[in-house]
Amino acid sequence: MELNLLGSKKAKIEVADAVFGCKFNEPLIHQIVTAFLAAGRAGTAAQKTRSQVRGGGVKPFRQKGTGRARAGTIRSPIWRKGGVVFAAKPRNYEQKVNKKMYRSAIRSILSELLRLERLVVTESFLAETPKTKNLLKTLAEMKMGENVVIITEAVDENLYLAARNLPYIEVRDVAAVDPVCLVGAEKVLITVAALKQLEELLK
Protein backbone atom coordinates (compact mmCIF):
# COMPACT_ATOMS: atom_id res chain seq x y z
CA MET A 1 0.00 0.00 0.00
CA GLU A 2 1.23 3.50 -0.86
CA LEU A 3 0.39 6.68 1.03
CA ASN A 4 0.69 10.22 -0.29
CA LEU A 5 2.82 12.69 1.61
CA LEU A 6 1.30 16.02 2.58
CA GLY A 7 2.17 18.82 0.19
CA SER A 8 3.27 16.54 -2.66
CA LYS A 9 1.25 14.63 -5.23
CA LYS A 10 4.18 12.56 -6.47
CA ALA A 11 5.98 11.66 -3.24
CA LYS A 12 4.67 8.42 -1.76
CA ILE A 13 5.60 6.07 1.07
CA GLU A 14 5.19 2.31 1.09
CA VAL A 15 3.43 0.83 4.15
CA ALA A 16 2.30 -2.67 5.09
CA ASP A 17 -1.25 -3.73 4.23
CA ALA A 18 -1.26 -5.85 7.39
CA VAL A 19 -1.11 -2.66 9.49
CA PHE A 20 -2.94 -0.04 7.44
CA GLY A 21 -5.34 -2.22 5.46
CA CYS A 22 -7.28 -3.92 8.26
CA LYS A 23 -11.03 -4.14 8.60
CA PHE A 24 -12.82 -1.90 11.09
CA ASN A 25 -13.44 -4.04 14.18
CA GLU A 26 -15.81 -1.87 16.22
CA PRO A 27 -16.44 -4.31 19.13
CA LEU A 28 -12.70 -4.80 19.67
CA ILE A 29 -11.98 -1.06 19.51
CA HIS A 30 -14.79 -0.38 21.99
CA GLN A 31 -13.38 -2.99 24.37
CA ILE A 32 -9.84 -1.59 24.15
CA VAL A 33 -10.93 2.04 24.59
CA THR A 34 -13.11 1.09 27.57
CA ALA A 35 -10.25 -0.86 29.15
CA PHE A 36 -7.82 2.02 28.59
CA LEU A 37 -10.16 4.55 30.23
CA ALA A 38 -10.91 2.16 33.09
CA ALA A 39 -7.21 1.67 33.79
CA GLY A 40 -6.86 5.43 34.24
CA ARG A 41 -9.42 5.57 37.06
CA ALA A 42 -7.97 6.13 40.52
CA GLY A 43 -10.45 3.86 42.27
CA THR A 44 -9.83 5.62 45.60
CA ALA A 45 -13.44 6.58 46.45
CA ALA A 46 -14.25 5.51 50.01
CA GLN A 47 -17.36 5.90 52.15
CA LYS A 48 -18.38 4.51 55.54
CA THR A 49 -21.14 2.05 56.28
CA ARG A 50 -23.29 2.38 59.43
CA SER A 51 -20.91 0.09 61.33
CA GLN A 52 -17.92 2.30 60.53
CA VAL A 53 -19.37 5.71 61.45
CA ARG A 54 -18.30 6.87 64.89
CA GLY A 55 -21.05 7.01 67.55
CA GLY A 56 -24.55 5.61 67.56
CA GLY A 57 -23.94 2.98 70.23
CA VAL A 58 -26.87 4.11 72.40
CA LYS A 59 -30.52 3.91 71.43
CA PRO A 60 -31.50 7.58 70.85
CA PHE A 61 -34.91 7.35 72.57
CA ARG A 62 -37.24 4.73 73.97
CA GLN A 63 -39.02 2.34 71.67
CA LYS A 64 -42.61 3.34 72.45
CA GLY A 65 -44.57 6.33 73.61
CA THR A 66 -42.80 9.17 71.75
CA GLY A 67 -44.93 9.15 68.61
CA ARG A 68 -41.81 8.92 66.48
CA ALA A 69 -40.60 6.06 64.33
CA ARG A 70 -38.57 3.55 66.29
CA ALA A 71 -34.80 4.02 66.03
CA GLY A 72 -31.92 1.97 67.34
CA THR A 73 -29.00 4.19 66.34
CA ILE A 74 -28.34 7.73 65.20
CA ARG A 75 -25.94 6.36 62.55
CA SER A 76 -28.71 4.73 60.50
CA PRO A 77 -28.45 5.49 56.75
CA ILE A 78 -31.74 7.41 56.87
CA TRP A 79 -30.40 9.78 59.51
CA ARG A 80 -28.24 12.81 58.88
CA LYS A 81 -24.54 11.99 59.46
CA GLY A 82 -25.42 8.31 59.24
CA GLY A 83 -23.64 5.66 57.26
CA VAL A 84 -24.04 4.93 53.54
CA VAL A 85 -26.12 1.93 52.49
CA PHE A 86 -23.93 0.73 49.61
CA ALA A 87 -20.70 2.47 50.54
CA ALA A 88 -18.02 2.93 47.89
CA LYS A 89 -14.77 1.14 48.66
CA PRO A 90 -11.32 1.42 47.06
CA ARG A 91 -11.13 -0.89 44.05
CA ASN A 92 -9.11 -1.60 40.95
CA TYR A 93 -10.92 -0.95 37.65
CA GLU A 94 -8.25 -2.44 35.38
CA GLN A 95 -9.39 -4.90 32.73
CA LYS A 96 -7.17 -7.61 31.30
CA VAL A 97 -6.22 -6.91 27.68
CA ASN A 98 -3.92 -9.15 25.66
CA LYS A 99 -1.11 -7.54 23.66
CA LYS A 100 -2.43 -9.20 20.52
CA MET A 101 -5.87 -7.64 21.02
CA TYR A 102 -4.39 -4.21 21.78
CA ARG A 103 -2.20 -4.19 18.66
CA SER A 104 -5.07 -5.44 16.52
CA ALA A 105 -7.27 -2.59 17.78
CA ILE A 106 -4.58 0.03 17.03
CA ARG A 107 -4.16 -1.41 13.51
CA SER A 108 -7.93 -1.26 12.98
CA ILE A 109 -8.08 2.36 14.19
CA LEU A 110 -5.19 3.45 11.94
CA SER A 111 -6.75 1.70 8.93
CA GLU A 112 -10.08 3.42 9.51
CA LEU A 113 -8.40 6.81 9.96
CA LEU A 114 -6.68 6.27 6.64
CA ARG A 115 -9.93 5.33 4.90
CA LEU A 116 -11.64 8.44 6.32
CA GLU A 117 -8.69 10.63 5.24
CA ARG A 118 -8.06 11.61 8.86
CA LEU A 119 -4.50 10.25 8.88
CA VAL A 120 -2.07 12.72 7.32
CA VAL A 121 1.57 11.82 6.68
CA THR A 122 4.29 14.45 6.41
CA GLU A 123 8.04 14.19 5.85
CA SER A 124 8.84 15.99 9.12
CA PHE A 125 7.21 18.38 11.54
CA LEU A 126 9.36 20.58 13.76
CA ALA A 127 8.86 23.94 15.43
CA GLU A 128 11.66 26.46 14.98
CA THR A 129 10.45 28.50 17.96
CA PRO A 130 8.24 27.60 20.95
CA LYS A 131 5.47 29.95 19.78
CA THR A 132 1.84 28.89 19.93
CA LYS A 133 0.85 31.46 17.32
CA ASN A 134 3.33 30.07 14.81
CA LEU A 135 2.11 26.52 15.38
CA LEU A 136 -1.52 27.51 14.84
CA LYS A 137 -0.55 29.32 11.65
CA THR A 138 1.29 26.26 10.35
CA LEU A 139 -1.62 23.93 11.12
CA ALA A 140 -4.06 26.36 9.50
CA GLU A 141 -1.96 26.40 6.33
CA MET A 142 -2.03 22.61 6.32
CA LYS A 143 -5.83 22.66 6.83
CA MET A 144 -5.61 20.34 9.82
CA GLY A 145 -8.57 21.67 11.81
CA GLU A 146 -8.66 22.42 15.53
CA ASN A 147 -8.53 18.92 17.04
CA VAL A 148 -5.18 17.42 16.04
CA VAL A 149 -2.83 14.77 17.39
CA ILE A 150 0.76 15.28 16.20
CA ILE A 151 2.87 12.12 16.32
CA THR A 152 6.63 12.42 15.89
CA GLU A 153 9.51 9.97 16.27
CA ALA A 154 10.73 11.97 19.30
CA VAL A 155 9.04 14.87 21.06
CA ASP A 156 10.58 18.16 19.95
CA GLU A 157 10.86 20.56 22.90
CA ASN A 158 9.86 23.63 20.88
CA LEU A 159 6.87 21.78 19.44
CA TYR A 160 5.81 20.57 22.88
CA LEU A 161 6.07 24.08 24.37
CA ALA A 162 4.14 25.60 21.47
CA ALA A 163 1.27 23.10 21.80
CA ARG A 164 0.96 22.64 25.56
CA ASN A 165 -1.41 25.59 26.00
CA LEU A 166 -3.78 24.41 23.25
CA PRO A 167 -6.55 22.18 24.69
CA TYR A 168 -7.32 20.24 21.48
CA ILE A 169 -3.81 19.78 20.08
CA GLU A 170 -1.59 17.00 21.45
CA VAL A 171 2.04 16.23 20.71
CA ARG A 172 3.15 12.64 21.27
CA ASP A 173 5.97 10.34 20.38
CA VAL A 174 5.32 6.81 19.12
CA ALA A 175 5.61 5.24 22.59
CA ALA A 176 2.86 7.52 23.94
CA VAL A 177 0.26 6.72 21.28
CA ASP A 178 -2.94 5.27 22.74
CA PRO A 179 -6.35 4.31 21.29
CA VAL A 180 -8.23 7.16 22.99
CA CYS A 181 -6.11 9.92 21.46
CA LEU A 182 -6.43 8.33 18.00
CA VAL A 183 -10.19 7.83 18.16
CA GLY A 184 -10.91 11.29 19.57
CA ALA A 185 -8.81 13.29 17.11
CA GLU A 186 -10.29 15.01 14.10
CA LYS A 187 -6.97 14.62 12.28
CA VAL A 188 -3.80 12.66 13.08
CA LEU A 189 -0.62 14.22 11.71
CA ILE A 190 2.29 11.78 11.70
CA THR A 191 5.84 12.03 10.39
CA VAL A 192 7.35 9.40 8.09
CA ALA A 193 9.87 8.28 10.72
CA ALA A 194 7.13 7.91 13.34
CA LEU A 195 4.95 6.02 10.88
CA LYS A 196 7.73 3.51 10.23
CA GLN A 197 8.33 3.07 13.98
CA LEU A 198 4.63 2.50 14.56
CA GLU A 199 4.48 0.03 11.68
CA GLU A 200 7.35 -2.01 13.15
CA LEU A 201 5.64 -2.14 16.55
CA LEU A 202 2.33 -3.30 15.09
CA LYS A 203 3.57 -5.96 12.66
Side-chain angles (χ1 to χ4, degrees):
M1 178 185 293
E2 290 185 340
L3 303 183
N4 294 324
L5 293 182
L6 182 66
S8 175
K9 294 182 179 179
K10 296 183 179 180
K12 295 182 181 293
I13 179 174
E14 187 74 24
V15 294
D17 290 346
V19 177
F20 296 96
C22 301
K23 293 181 179 179
F24 183 62
N25 192 339
E26 186 176 356
L28 177 62
I29 293 173
H30 179 271
Q31 181 181 351
I32 297 301
V33 169
T34 302
F36 184 86
L37 292 174
R41 296 183 65 176
T44 55
Q47 298 168 325
K48 293 181 179 180
T49 62
R50 60 184 295 170
S51 64
Q52 295 170 321
V53 181
R54 183 177 176 85
V58 178
K59 189 173 174 68
F61 45 80
R62 64 181 189 272
Q63 181 84 343
K64 292 179 172 294
T66 63
R68 300 182 62 184
R70 55 195 175 187
T73 173
I74 62 171
R75 296 304 180 224
S76 167
I78 62 175
W79 281 52
R80 182 173 174 271
K81 296 185 180 181
V84 179
V85 179
F86 300 110
K89 295 298 176 186
R91 55 172 292 193
N92 184 9
Y93 289 93
E94 288 185 8
Q95 301 175 18
K96 185 179 185 301
V97 174
N98 297 328
K99 289 182 180 179
K100 187 176 179 181
M101 293 171 58
Y102 186 86
R103 289 173 183 168
S104 180
I106 297 294
R107 287 196 295 265
S108 183
I109 292 171
L110 291 173
S111 301
E112 186 67 11
L113 288 173
L114 190 59
R115 280 190 289 270
L116 297 176
E117 298 182 352
R118 289 166 55 190
L119 181 67
V120 181
V121 185
T122 183
E123 186 65 38
S124 63
F125 194 82
L126 299 172
E128 296 180 359
T129 57
K131 294 290 184 181
T132 302
K133 181 171 64 176
N134 295 344
L135 177 61
L136 286 174
K137 182 179 178 182
T138 303
L139 292 175
E141 290 172 353
M142 298 168 73
K143 298 180 181 179
M144 294 302 297
E146 297 180 353
N147 188 350
V148 185
V149 173
I150 303 170
I151 303 174
T152 57
E153 60 275 16
V155 176
D156 177 52
E157 185 177 359
N158 286 342
L159 183 59
Y160 169 75
L161 293 174
R164 67 177 177 177
N165 199 36
L166 299 171
Y168 300 111
I169 294 179
E170 294 185 60
V171 177
R172 302 194 174 205
D173 59 1
V174 175
V177 173
D178 63 69
V180 174
C181 77
L182 293 176
V183 170
E186 180 182 347
K187 289 284 184 71
V188 176
L189 178 64
I190 186 170
T191 63
V192 172
L195 188 71
K196 286 300 181 181
Q197 286 184 21
L198 199 58
E199 184 179 10
E200 286 298 320
L201 290 172
L202 297 174
K203 276 185 178 179

